[in-house]
Amino acid sequence: MQVVIFEADTFGGKLFDIVLLVAIVLSVGVVMLESVPTIASHHRDLMRALEWVFTILFTLEYIARLVCTGKPWKYAFSFFGMVDLLSILPTYLAILVAGSQALLVVRTIRLIRVFRILKLAQFLGEARSLTDALKASRYKIILFLTTVSCITIILGTLMYLIEGPQNGFTSIPKSVYWAIVTLTTVGYGDVAPQTALGQTVASLIMILGYAIIAVPTGIVSAEMVHTKSKTPEKISTQSCPQCAREGHEPDALYCKFCGSAL
């Protein structure tokens, strides 16, 4: 059973994971349909019954993973372990707190397992390169975000002084909100400058927004090029039977996370 649950290289393991993915997609679809008033009013009992069927199924799967794992606590507090637990808790919480079953959409995160099932392990290597690039550029991104935050506060305060409450800029926080919306080129249109000076400043903010968008892209792209120059490690689809962690090299004999034999 351990091979079936934690390994996608065998026929049984692949079949188990595919069935699990189909169940995840169907369960999320049920949650989404239940939020539609017309469907919920006519098929509420059916939706609730299906919701409990999927929850019981995922509960049994979660228990099976804990039983088959050599170190159940490591799996329980791992990323997938927490996601698996969060995907079943809302239904039980709904007994006490109405509406909490809507949180079941967290099950969509479990679709990440599709990379392992479809043998797309090479994408995990690319994901690692992207993660390394983001980590390497995190200080530059933090500095960039800090600068943008200061700009929006200054511009929002300036627009509050120029336009005033009579034109919809009733407070500095609301003016800062407008500056953020304008700087990111979203433009909801709920607040708009009416004076010529205000419109001029708004035009400059819009142009500045296009220039700012290119900055984080260039930072991450430069780091990705640097990371890409290194040969990415190949990653297998094998999971550790003790801690259930993935991301091992194809020729690995021991888990690089807990040291257990693979």
Side-chain angles (χ1 to χ4, degrees):
M1 181 179 291
Q2 188 181 63
V3 175
V4 172
I5 293 178
F6 288 105
E7 187 54 60
D9 288 336
T10 63
F11 174 78
K14 181 177 292 187
L15 179 62
F16 174 82
D17 283 340
I18 291 177
V19 171
L20 180 61
L21 284 179
V22 172
I24 293 171
V25 173
L26 291 177
S27 65
V28 172
V30 169
V31 175
M32 295 174 65
L33 290 175
E34 192 177 0
S35 66
V36 180
T38 54
I39 297 178
S41 60
H42 293 86
H43 305 285
R44 183 178 301 276
D45 293 338
L46 176 61
M47 295 289 112
R48 292 294 173 82
L50 290 174
E51 183 180 311
W52 274 105
V53 168
F54 287 122
T55 299
I56 293 173
L57 174 65
F58 294 139
T59 301
L60 295 175
E61 180 238 345
Y62 179 72
I63 295 173
R65 289 183 183 276
L66 290 176
V67 172
C68 293
T69 305
K71 299 178 180 179
W73 286 110
K74 280 188 172 292
Y75 172 74
F77 288 99
S78 66
F79 172 75
F80 278 118
M82 296 298 293
V83 171
D84 291 346
L85 178 61
L86 291 175
S87 67
I88 60 178
L89 281 181
T91 302
Y92 297 112
L93 291 176
I95 301 175
L96 303 175
V97 182
S100 60
Q101 67 271 16
L103 297 175
L104 287 173
V105 291
V106 73
R107 289 173 181 168
T108 54
I109 302 178
R110 303 181 72 192
L111 291 174
I112 297 175
R113 296 183 189 275
V114 72
F115 288 102
R116 183 168 64 91
I117 296 167
L118 300 180
K119 292 184 179 297
L120 301 179
Q122 63 270 24
F123 286 96
L124 297 179
E126 298 298 331
R128 177 180 294 180
S129 299
L130 178 59
T131 302
D132 293 340
L134 291 174
K135 288 182 178 179
S137 58
R138 62 186 181 277
Y139 296 115
K140 297 178 183 177
I141 294 176
I142 291 174
L143 177 61
F144 167 75
L145 293 177
T146 302
T147 304
V148 171
S149 300
C150 294
I151 291 174
T152 54
I153 293 174
I154 294 172
L155 294 175
T157 304
L158 180 62
M159 289 300 295
Y160 171 73
L161 297 175
I162 294 174
E163 294 294 325
Q166 65 274 14
N167 292 325
F169 293 80
T170 56
S171 65
I172 291 180
K174 189 169 185 179
S175 300
V176 171
Y177 155 78
W178 172 87
I180 294 173
V181 171
T182 306
L183 193 65
T184 54
T185 68
V186 176
Y188 291 127
D190 51 346
V191 182
Q194 303 299 320
T195 65
L197 180 58
Q199 292 173 352
T200 301
V201 174
S203 299
L204 295 176
I205 294 175
M206 296 174 195
I207 296 174
L208 180 63
Y210 283 104
I212 286 179
I213 291 175
V215 176
T217 305
I219 293 174
V220 178
S221 298
E223 293 295 340
M224 287 188 67
V225 171
H226 177 71
T227 304
K228 197 69 176 179
S229 61
K230 303 176 183 179
T231 304
E233 298 179 351
K234 294 184 179 180
I235 300 176
S236 69
T237 60
Q238 188 175 12
S239 301
C240 175
Q242 299 296 321
C243 65
R245 298 284 295 275
E246 301 176 0
H248 302 95
E249 286 68 28
D251 56 348
L253 299 178
Y254 298 93
C255 176
K256 61 183 181 182
F257 301 105
C258 68
S260 303
L262 297 175

